[in-house]
Amino acid sequence: MDKPVTDYRLQSADLILTPSRLFFEHQKSQYLDKTIQYFYCFNENYLPELANKFQDRKQKILLSGANYYTNGVGYPIRNHIYGYWQKNKQNKDSIGEYIDYLSHPSYDRLLNGDKSGINYYKILASYRGAFFGFAAAPQNYVLAKIIEILSCGCIGFFEYSPLLEKDLGLIKFKHYVPIMVDENNVPMYDRDYYLKYLLGSEGEKIANEGYKYVINKFNMKNKCDELHNILKTKIK
């Protein structure tokens, strides 16, 4: 956009808290000086229901949620993986047989109850791994799905972005495994690469590191303390 965005509600606010400050930057917001990145938390009260042993989980990687990508809008990496899965899910010589897909449940809470909230987390927690891919710019900011995957004890197979470390502190090959891509950021489906983590001890170690990190950093108490500090120091 060439013209800065204005809004009377944002104009009158003392602070703008958002999990997606990058979006405001892309929109050339005139309110960036009072816009603060404040990310989601994970409800740790769910954790006892998600404590599936890694060795007992499905030896597969779950692709879930929206996967559309048209005219530069949507989720390019997810869309590519979905297309690959459709063609190769029964191919015993590919990584495709190790991928499962869960469609977007819709935003209708009357219809999606069995695939949202704690029920979605239970599905995640039944898998060893789960994919995450960013939306295309200007919506290529970090999403709650990232910490949901790790909080459920999965190996996070994530599209690499410097925002994972900048905004969330996540380090590749320590807290998550980057999706393999070529020089054009197109996914590559090296079976050995994915199975090394999905079936080996290194993947379990990364899942444990990712889990511990997000549970310690993004629990409700820490996020409430963070909010308290923001309000105490930023509002005069």
Short mmCIF file of all heavy atoms in Angstrom, two decimals, residues 187-236:
data_model
loop_
_atom_site.label_atom_id
_atom_site.label_comp_id
_atom_site.label_asym_id
_atom_site.label_seq_id
_atom_site.Cartn_x
_atom_site.Cartn_y
_atom_site.Cartn_z
N PRO A 187 9.20 -26.34 -1.67
CA PRO A 187 9.49 -27.51 -0.84
C PRO A 187 10.13 -28.66 -1.62
O PRO A 187 9.80 -28.90 -2.78
CB PRO A 187 8.12 -27.93 -0.32
CG PRO A 187 7.31 -26.69 -0.35
CD PRO A 187 7.80 -25.93 -1.56
N MET A 188 11.05 -29.32 -0.96
CA MET A 188 11.67 -30.53 -1.49
C MET A 188 11.28 -31.69 -0.56
O MET A 188 11.16 -31.49 0.66
CB MET A 188 13.19 -30.36 -1.55
CG MET A 188 13.64 -29.19 -2.41
SD MET A 188 15.42 -28.89 -2.30
CE MET A 188 16.07 -30.36 -3.08
N TYR A 189 11.10 -32.85 -1.13
CA TYR A 189 10.52 -33.95 -0.36
C TYR A 189 11.51 -35.10 -0.23
O TYR A 189 11.24 -36.23 -0.66
CB TYR A 189 9.20 -34.38 -1.01
CG TYR A 189 8.22 -33.23 -1.07
CD1 TYR A 189 8.06 -32.48 -2.23
CD2 TYR A 189 7.48 -32.87 0.06
CE1 TYR A 189 7.18 -31.41 -2.28
CE2 TYR A 189 6.60 -31.80 0.02
CZ TYR A 189 6.45 -31.08 -1.15
OH TYR A 189 5.58 -30.01 -1.19
N ASP A 190 12.63 -34.79 0.38
CA ASP A 190 13.67 -35.79 0.61
C ASP A 190 13.22 -36.72 1.74
O ASP A 190 13.16 -36.32 2.91
CB ASP A 190 14.98 -35.08 0.98
CG ASP A 190 16.15 -36.03 1.08
OD1 ASP A 190 16.03 -37.07 1.78
OD2 ASP A 190 17.20 -35.75 0.48
N ARG A 191 12.92 -37.93 1.38
CA ARG A 191 12.38 -38.90 2.35
C ARG A 191 13.34 -39.11 3.52
O ARG A 191 12.93 -39.13 4.68
CB ARG A 191 12.13 -40.22 1.61
CG ARG A 191 11.58 -41.36 2.47
CD ARG A 191 11.47 -42.62 1.63
NE ARG A 191 11.18 -43.80 2.41
CZ ARG A 191 9.97 -44.32 2.56
NH1 ARG A 191 8.95 -43.76 1.96
NH2 ARG A 191 9.78 -45.41 3.29
N ASP A 192 14.62 -39.25 3.22
CA ASP A 192 15.61 -39.49 4.28
C ASP A 192 15.70 -38.32 5.25
O ASP A 192 15.87 -38.52 6.46
CB ASP A 192 16.98 -39.77 3.67
CG ASP A 192 17.04 -41.09 2.91
OD1 ASP A 192 16.18 -41.96 3.18
OD2 ASP A 192 17.92 -41.24 2.04
N TYR A 193 15.59 -37.11 4.74
CA TYR A 193 15.66 -35.91 5.58
C TYR A 193 14.55 -35.93 6.63
O TYR A 193 14.81 -35.74 7.83
CB TYR A 193 15.54 -34.65 4.72
CG TYR A 193 15.47 -33.35 5.49
CD1 TYR A 193 16.62 -32.73 5.97
CD2 TYR A 193 14.24 -32.71 5.71
CE1 TYR A 193 16.55 -31.53 6.66
CE2 TYR A 193 14.16 -31.51 6.39
CZ TYR A 193 15.32 -30.92 6.86
OH TYR A 193 15.24 -29.72 7.54
N TYR A 194 13.33 -36.17 6.20
CA TYR A 194 12.20 -36.14 7.13
C TYR A 194 12.18 -37.35 8.06
O TYR A 194 11.89 -37.22 9.26
CB TYR A 194 10.89 -36.01 6.36
CG TYR A 194 10.70 -34.63 5.79
CD1 TYR A 194 10.94 -34.37 4.44
CD2 TYR A 194 10.32 -33.57 6.60
CE1 TYR A 194 10.80 -33.09 3.93
CE2 TYR A 194 10.18 -32.29 6.09
CZ TYR A 194 10.41 -32.05 4.75
OH TYR A 194 10.28 -30.79 4.25
N LEU A 195 12.51 -38.53 7.54
CA LEU A 195 12.47 -39.72 8.37
C LEU A 195 13.57 -39.73 9.43
O LEU A 195 13.42 -40.34 10.50
CB LEU A 195 12.56 -40.98 7.51
CG LEU A 195 11.36 -41.24 6.60
CD1 LEU A 195 11.49 -42.62 5.94
CD2 LEU A 195 10.04 -41.14 7.35
N LYS A 196 14.66 -39.04 9.14
CA LYS A 196 15.73 -38.91 10.14
C LYS A 196 15.18 -38.36 11.45
O LYS A 196 15.56 -38.81 12.55
CB LYS A 196 16.83 -38.00 9.60
CG LYS A 196 17.89 -37.62 10.63
CD LYS A 196 18.88 -36.61 10.04
CE LYS A 196 19.88 -36.15 11.09
NZ LYS A 196 20.82 -35.13 10.54
N TYR A 197 14.29 -37.39 11.35
CA TYR A 197 13.71 -36.76 12.54
C TYR A 197 12.45 -37.46 13.01
O TYR A 197 12.23 -37.64 14.21
CB TYR A 197 13.43 -35.28 12.26
CG TYR A 197 14.67 -34.51 11.89
CD1 TYR A 197 14.94 -34.19 10.57
CD2 TYR A 197 15.60 -34.16 12.86
CE1 TYR A 197 16.09 -33.51 10.23
CE2 TYR A 197 16.76 -33.49 12.53
CZ TYR A 197 17.01 -33.16 11.21
OH TYR A 197 18.16 -32.51 10.87
N LEU A 198 11.63 -37.87 12.06
CA LEU A 198 10.34 -38.47 12.42
C LEU A 198 10.51 -39.80 13.14
O LEU A 198 9.77 -40.12 14.07
CB LEU A 198 9.50 -38.66 11.15
CG LEU A 198 8.03 -39.02 11.34
CD1 LEU A 198 7.29 -37.91 12.06
CD2 LEU A 198 7.38 -39.32 10.00
N LEU A 199 11.51 -40.59 12.72
CA LEU A 199 11.69 -41.93 13.27
C LEU A 199 12.89 -42.06 14.19
O LEU A 199 13.05 -43.10 14.85
CB LEU A 199 11.83 -42.94 12.12
CG LEU A 199 10.71 -42.97 11.08
CD1 LEU A 199 10.97 -44.05 10.04
CD2 LEU A 199 9.35 -43.17 11.74
N GLY A 200 13.73 -41.03 14.26
CA GLY A 200 14.95 -41.13 15.04
C GLY A 200 14.91 -40.38 16.36
O GLY A 200 14.01 -39.59 16.63
N SER A 201 15.93 -40.61 17.18
CA SER A 201 16.00 -39.99 18.51
C SER A 201 16.24 -38.48 18.42
O SER A 201 15.85 -37.74 19.33
CB SER A 201 17.11 -40.65 19.33
OG SER A 201 18.37 -40.49 18.69
N GLU A 202 16.86 -38.02 17.34
CA GLU A 202 17.12 -36.59 17.20
C GLU A 202 15.82 -35.80 17.11
O GLU A 202 15.70 -34.70 17.66
CB GLU A 202 18.00 -36.33 15.97
CG GLU A 202 18.52 -34.91 15.90
CD GLU A 202 19.57 -34.73 14.82
OE1 GLU A 202 20.00 -35.73 14.23
OE2 GLU A 202 19.96 -33.58 14.56
N GLY A 203 14.84 -36.37 16.40
CA GLY A 203 13.55 -35.71 16.29
C GLY A 203 12.85 -35.62 17.63
O GLY A 203 12.25 -34.58 17.97
N GLU A 204 12.91 -36.67 18.41
CA GLU A 204 12.29 -36.66 19.74
C GLU A 204 12.95 -35.61 20.63
O GLU A 204 12.27 -34.89 21.39
CB GLU A 204 12.39 -38.03 20.39
CG GLU A 204 11.71 -38.10 21.75
CD GLU A 204 11.74 -39.51 22.36
OE1 GLU A 204 12.36 -40.41 21.75
OE2 GLU A 204 11.13 -39.69 23.43
N LYS A 205 14.26 -35.48 20.52
CA LYS A 205 14.98 -34.47 21.31
C LYS A 205 14.53 -33.06 20.92
O LYS A 205 14.31 -32.20 21.79
CB LYS A 205 16.49 -34.62 21.09
CG LYS A 205 17.31 -33.61 21.85
CD LYS A 205 18.80 -33.79 21.59
CE LYS A 205 19.62 -32.72 22.32
NZ LYS A 205 21.08 -32.87 22.02
N ILE A 206 14.39 -32.81 19.62
CA ILE A 206 13.95 -31.48 19.16
C ILE A 206 12.52 -31.21 19.62
O ILE A 206 12.19 -30.09 20.05
CB ILE A 206 14.08 -31.38 17.63
CG1 ILE A 206 15.56 -31.37 17.24
CG2 ILE A 206 13.38 -30.12 17.10
CD1 ILE A 206 15.81 -31.45 15.74
N ALA A 207 11.66 -32.22 19.55
CA ALA A 207 10.28 -32.06 20.03
C ALA A 207 10.28 -31.70 21.51
O ALA A 207 9.52 -30.81 21.94
CB ALA A 207 9.48 -33.34 19.79
N ASN A 208 11.10 -32.34 22.29
CA ASN A 208 11.17 -32.06 23.74
C ASN A 208 11.69 -30.65 24.00
O ASN A 208 11.19 -29.95 24.89
CB ASN A 208 12.05 -33.10 24.45
CG ASN A 208 11.39 -34.45 24.54
OD1 ASN A 208 10.17 -34.56 24.52
ND2 ASN A 208 12.20 -35.51 24.64
N GLU A 209 12.72 -30.24 23.25
CA GLU A 209 13.28 -28.90 23.43
C GLU A 209 12.26 -27.83 23.05
O GLU A 209 12.11 -26.82 23.74
CB GLU A 209 14.54 -28.73 22.58
CG GLU A 209 15.75 -29.50 23.09
CD GLU A 209 16.29 -28.95 24.40
OE1 GLU A 209 16.18 -27.74 24.63
OE2 GLU A 209 16.81 -29.76 25.20
N GLY A 210 11.56 -28.05 21.95
CA GLY A 210 10.53 -27.09 21.53
C GLY A 210 9.41 -27.00 22.54
O GLY A 210 8.93 -25.91 22.87
N TYR A 211 8.99 -28.14 23.04
CA TYR A 211 7.92 -28.20 24.04
C TYR A 211 8.32 -27.43 25.30
O TYR A 211 7.57 -26.56 25.78
CB TYR A 211 7.63 -29.66 24.38
CG TYR A 211 6.69 -29.85 25.54
CD1 TYR A 211 5.30 -29.80 25.37
CD2 TYR A 211 7.18 -30.09 26.83
CE1 TYR A 211 4.44 -29.98 26.44
CE2 TYR A 211 6.33 -30.27 27.90
CZ TYR A 211 4.96 -30.20 27.71
OH TYR A 211 4.11 -30.37 28.77
N LYS A 212 9.47 -27.73 25.85
CA LYS A 212 9.90 -27.08 27.08
C LYS A 212 10.03 -25.57 26.89
O LYS A 212 9.66 -24.80 27.78
CB LYS A 212 11.24 -27.68 27.56
CG LYS A 212 11.13 -29.09 28.09
CD LYS A 212 12.43 -29.58 28.70
CE LYS A 212 13.54 -29.71 27.67
NZ LYS A 212 14.78 -30.28 28.25
N TYR A 213 10.54 -25.18 25.74
CA TYR A 213 10.75 -23.75 25.50
C TYR A 213 9.43 -22.99 25.48
O TYR A 213 9.27 -21.98 26.16
CB TYR A 213 11.50 -23.55 24.17
CG TYR A 213 11.69 -22.09 23.85
CD1 TYR A 213 12.71 -21.35 24.43
CD2 TYR A 213 10.82 -21.44 22.96
CE1 TYR A 213 12.87 -20.00 24.15
CE2 TYR A 213 10.98 -20.09 22.67
CZ TYR A 213 12.01 -19.38 23.27
OH TYR A 213 12.15 -18.04 23.00
N VAL A 214 8.46 -23.47 24.70
CA VAL A 214 7.22 -22.70 24.57
C VAL A 214 6.38 -22.78 25.85
O VAL A 214 5.70 -21.80 26.20
CB VAL A 214 6.38 -23.13 23.35
CG1 VAL A 214 7.14 -22.85 22.06
CG2 VAL A 214 5.96 -24.58 23.42
N ILE A 215 6.42 -23.90 26.56
CA ILE A 215 5.65 -24.00 27.80
C ILE A 215 6.21 -23.05 28.86
O ILE A 215 5.46 -22.45 29.65
CB ILE A 215 5.65 -25.46 28.32
CG1 ILE A 215 4.82 -26.34 27.39
CG2 ILE A 215 5.10 -25.52 29.73
CD1 ILE A 215 3.40 -25.88 27.19
N ASN A 216 7.52 -22.87 28.87
CA ASN A 216 8.13 -21.96 29.83
C ASN A 216 7.95 -20.49 29.44
O ASN A 216 7.78 -19.63 30.30
CB ASN A 216 9.64 -22.25 29.98
CG ASN A 216 9.90 -23.54 30.73
OD1 ASN A 216 9.11 -23.94 31.58
ND2 ASN A 216 11.00 -24.21 30.41
N LYS A 217 7.97 -20.20 28.15
CA LYS A 217 7.93 -18.82 27.69
C LYS A 217 6.51 -18.31 27.44
O LYS A 217 6.20 -17.14 27.70
CB LYS A 217 8.75 -18.66 26.41
CG LYS A 217 8.86 -17.22 25.91
CD LYS A 217 9.80 -17.10 24.73
CE LYS A 217 9.87 -15.68 24.19
NZ LYS A 217 10.40 -14.73 25.18
N PHE A 218 5.63 -19.16 26.96
CA PHE A 218 4.30 -18.70 26.52
C PHE A 218 3.17 -19.24 27.38
O PHE A 218 2.05 -19.38 26.91
CB PHE A 218 4.09 -19.08 25.04
CG PHE A 218 5.06 -18.44 24.11
CD1 PHE A 218 6.13 -19.17 23.60
CD2 PHE A 218 4.94 -17.11 23.75
CE1 PHE A 218 7.05 -18.58 22.73
CE2 PHE A 218 5.85 -16.51 22.90
CZ PHE A 218 6.91 -17.25 22.39
N ASN A 219 3.46 -19.53 28.65
CA ASN A 219 2.38 -19.93 29.55
C ASN A 219 1.60 -18.70 30.00
O ASN A 219 2.03 -17.55 29.82
CB ASN A 219 2.92 -20.73 30.74
CG ASN A 219 3.88 -19.92 31.60
OD1 ASN A 219 3.49 -18.91 32.20
ND2 ASN A 219 5.14 -20.34 31.67
N MET A 220 0.45 -18.93 30.59
CA MET A 220 -0.46 -17.83 30.91
C MET A 220 0.13 -16.87 31.94
O MET A 220 -0.02 -15.65 31.83
CB MET A 220 -1.80 -18.38 31.38
CG MET A 220 -2.61 -19.04 30.28
SD MET A 220 -4.29 -19.49 30.78
CE MET A 220 -3.95 -20.82 31.94
N LYS A 221 0.83 -17.39 32.95
CA LYS A 221 1.40 -16.51 33.97
C LYS A 221 2.44 -15.58 33.36
O LYS A 221 2.45 -14.37 33.63
CB LYS A 221 2.03 -17.33 35.10
CG LYS A 221 2.61 -16.44 36.21
CD LYS A 221 3.28 -17.24 37.30
CE LYS A 221 3.75 -16.33 38.43
NZ LYS A 221 4.63 -15.22 37.97
N ASN A 222 3.34 -16.13 32.56
CA ASN A 222 4.37 -15.29 31.94
C ASN A 222 3.77 -14.22 31.05
O ASN A 222 4.22 -13.07 31.04
CB ASN A 222 5.35 -16.15 31.12
CG ASN A 222 6.36 -16.85 32.00
OD1 ASN A 222 6.41 -16.66 33.21
ND2 ASN A 222 7.19 -17.70 31.39
N LYS A 223 2.74 -14.58 30.30
CA LYS A 223 2.13 -13.61 29.41
C LYS A 223 1.36 -12.54 30.20
O LYS A 223 1.32 -11.38 29.80
CB LYS A 223 1.22 -14.31 28.41
CG LYS A 223 1.95 -15.25 27.45
CD LYS A 223 3.05 -14.55 26.68
CE LYS A 223 2.53 -13.55 25.67
NZ LYS A 223 3.61 -12.95 24.85
N CYS A 224 0.76 -12.92 31.32
CA CYS A 224 0.10 -11.92 32.17
C CYS A 224 1.13 -10.98 32.79
O CYS A 224 0.91 -9.77 32.86
CB CYS A 224 -0.71 -12.62 33.27
SG CYS A 224 -2.23 -13.39 32.69
N ASP A 225 2.27 -11.54 33.22
CA ASP A 225 3.34 -10.71 33.77
C ASP A 225 3.88 -9.76 32.70
O ASP A 225 4.16 -8.59 32.98
CB ASP A 225 4.48 -11.58 34.30
CG ASP A 225 4.10 -12.33 35.57
OD1 ASP A 225 3.10 -11.95 36.21
OD2 ASP A 225 4.81 -13.30 35.92
N GLU A 226 4.03 -10.27 31.48
CA GLU A 226 4.51 -9.44 30.38
C GLU A 226 3.54 -8.29 30.10
O GLU A 226 3.95 -7.14 29.92
CB GLU A 226 4.68 -10.29 29.12
CG GLU A 226 5.21 -9.52 27.92
CD GLU A 226 5.27 -10.37 26.67
OE1 GLU A 226 5.16 -11.60 26.76
OE2 GLU A 226 5.41 -9.77 25.58
N LEU A 227 2.24 -8.61 30.10
CA LEU A 227 1.24 -7.57 29.87
C LEU A 227 1.27 -6.53 30.98
O LEU A 227 1.19 -5.32 30.71
CB LEU A 227 -0.15 -8.21 29.78
CG LEU A 227 -1.33 -7.25 29.59
CD1 LEU A 227 -1.17 -6.44 28.32
CD2 LEU A 227 -2.65 -8.02 29.58
N HIS A 228 1.40 -6.98 32.20
CA HIS A 228 1.46 -6.05 33.34
C HIS A 228 2.65 -5.10 33.19
O HIS A 228 2.53 -3.89 33.42
CB HIS A 228 1.57 -6.85 34.66
CG HIS A 228 1.69 -5.99 35.87
ND1 HIS A 228 2.90 -5.70 36.46
CD2 HIS A 228 0.74 -5.32 36.59
CE1 HIS A 228 2.71 -4.91 37.49
NE2 HIS A 228 1.41 -4.67 37.60
N ASN A 229 3.80 -5.65 32.80
CA ASN A 229 4.99 -4.81 32.63
C ASN A 229 4.83 -3.82 31.50
O ASN A 229 5.30 -2.66 31.58
CB ASN A 229 6.22 -5.69 32.40
CG ASN A 229 6.64 -6.45 33.64
OD1 ASN A 229 6.39 -6.01 34.76
ND2 ASN A 229 7.28 -7.59 33.46
N ILE A 230 4.19 -4.25 30.42
CA ILE A 230 3.96 -3.34 29.31
C ILE A 230 3.08 -2.17 29.75
O ILE A 230 3.39 -0.99 29.49
CB ILE A 230 3.29 -4.08 28.13
CG1 ILE A 230 4.27 -5.05 27.47
CG2 ILE A 230 2.76 -3.09 27.08
CD1 ILE A 230 3.63 -5.96 26.44
N LEU A 231 2.00 -2.48 30.43
CA LEU A 231 1.08 -1.42 30.85
C LEU A 231 1.74 -0.49 31.89
O LEU A 231 1.50 0.71 31.88
CB LEU A 231 -0.19 -2.04 31.45
CG LEU A 231 -1.03 -2.89 30.48
CD1 LEU A 231 -2.22 -3.51 31.21
CD2 LEU A 231 -1.50 -2.05 29.29
N LYS A 232 2.56 -1.07 32.74
CA LYS A 232 3.21 -0.27 33.78
C LYS A 232 4.27 0.67 33.23
O LYS A 232 4.44 1.80 33.70
CB LYS A 232 3.85 -1.21 34.82
CG LYS A 232 4.48 -0.50 36.00
CD LYS A 232 4.91 -1.50 37.07
CE LYS A 232 6.01 -2.42 36.58
NZ LYS A 232 6.52 -3.29 37.67
N THR A 233 4.97 0.22 32.20
CA THR A 233 6.09 1.02 31.67
C THR A 233 5.74 1.88 30.47
O THR A 233 6.40 2.89 30.21
CB THR A 233 7.26 0.09 31.29
OG1 THR A 233 6.82 -0.84 30.29
CG2 THR A 233 7.78 -0.66 32.49
N LYS A 234 4.70 1.51 29.74
CA LYS A 234 4.41 2.21 28.49
C LYS A 234 3.29 3.26 28.61
O LYS A 234 3.23 4.18 27.81
CB LYS A 234 4.04 1.21 27.41
CG LYS A 234 5.14 0.23 27.04
CD LYS A 234 6.32 0.93 26.40
CE LYS A 234 7.37 -0.09 25.95
NZ LYS A 234 8.54 0.60 25.32
N ILE A 235 2.39 3.06 29.58
CA ILE A 235 1.29 4.02 29.73
C ILE A 235 1.64 5.01 30.83
O ILE A 235 1.90 4.63 31.97
CB ILE A 235 -0.03 3.30 30.06
CG1 ILE A 235 -0.46 2.45 28.87
CG2 ILE A 235 -1.12 4.32 30.40
CD1 ILE A 235 -1.79 1.77 29.03
N LYS A 236 1.66 6.25 30.48
CA LYS A 236 2.05 7.31 31.42
C LYS A 236 0.81 7.86 32.14
O LYS A 236 -0.25 7.95 31.59
CB LYS A 236 2.76 8.45 30.66
CG LYS A 236 3.94 7.97 29.83
CD LYS A 236 4.99 7.28 30.66
CE LYS A 236 6.18 6.83 29.80
NZ LYS A 236 7.19 6.09 30.58
#
